[in-house]
Amino acid sequence: MPETPVLYVLNGPNLNLLGEREPEIYGRETLADVQKLCENAADGARIVFRQSNHEGQLVDWIHEARKEASALIINPAAYTHTSVALLDALKTLSIPVIECHLSNPAAREAFRHHSYVSLAATGVIAGLGVQGYELAVKAALNLIRPA
């Protein structure tokens, strides 16, 4: 693990439209706002904050995190419910993995009730809007720093 903790925060498809797409569900904050929130909560840790609409790119970043990260926070968005590839990549990690969702998938359409990612996650934060990311950063730090 790096001396200064490194937290990877990965964001899946359509999150680049945060603040514009369905603000009644996802809120009015932008992804840039979320990044600042994570950086402000980092307490000296380095945040590597990324977004992609491409599953393979997310898999590549998870592989990178195997050697570079102290913990990984992921909002896989729609890939939550479809991607065995993300699950398989996440299962290669030996660091904490926090699954984070802006909305509460369990309170939405039935197809959103299953998460492949949860099978590899240390914990899940959902339904708290962008505040969930701040909580995910704090939870990740608590998991990697000795008490």
Side-chain angles (χ1 to χ4, degrees):
M1 182 167 65
E3 191 172 308
T4 297
V6 177
L7 305 182
Y8 271 48
V9 181
L10 304 181
N11 297 278
N14 299 309
L15 287 168
N16 55 304
L17 300 177
L18 196 57
E20 300 172 33
R21 177 181 168 251
E22 298 181 278
E24 67 281 2
I25 295 174
Y26 302 110
R28 300 214 177 273
E29 293 89 350
T30 67
L31 200 58
D33 295 331
V34 173
Q35 182 173 356
K36 283 183 186 176
L37 185 72
C38 291
E39 290 168 349
N40 288 341
D43 191 32
R46 186 166 68 88
I47 299 290
V48 175
F49 193 92
R50 297 176 176 158
Q51 185 277 329
S52 180
N53 294 320
H54 305 283
E55 184 179 36
Q57 180 64 74
L58 292 165
V59 169
D60 288 345
W61 288 335
I62 292 167
H63 291 176
E64 180 182 305
R66 290 178 69 224
K67 296 191 189 246
E68 302 296 328
S70 309
L72 183 135
I73 297 162
I74 185 166
N75 182 344
Y79 291 138
T80 303
H81 323 291
T82 64
S83 183
V84 174
L86 286 183
L87 169 61
D88 287 348
L90 290 167
K91 286 170 65 175
T92 71
L93 299 178
S94 60
I95 58 175
V97 174
I98 308 292
E99 180 182 355
C100 184
H101 297 283
L102 295 160
S103 68
N104 180 358
R108 297 187 60 199
E109 303 94 337
F111 74 87
R112 296 186 194 275
H113 296 177
H114 180 266
S115 168
Y116 284 101
V117 171
S118 290
L119 298 172
T122 307
V124 179
I125 298 172
L128 300 175
V130 298
Q131 181 187 11
Y133 280 87
E134 178 180 16
L135 295 171
V137 168
K138 290 179 180 182
L141 290 172
N142 284 337
L143 289 168
I144 62 174
R145 287 184 172 155

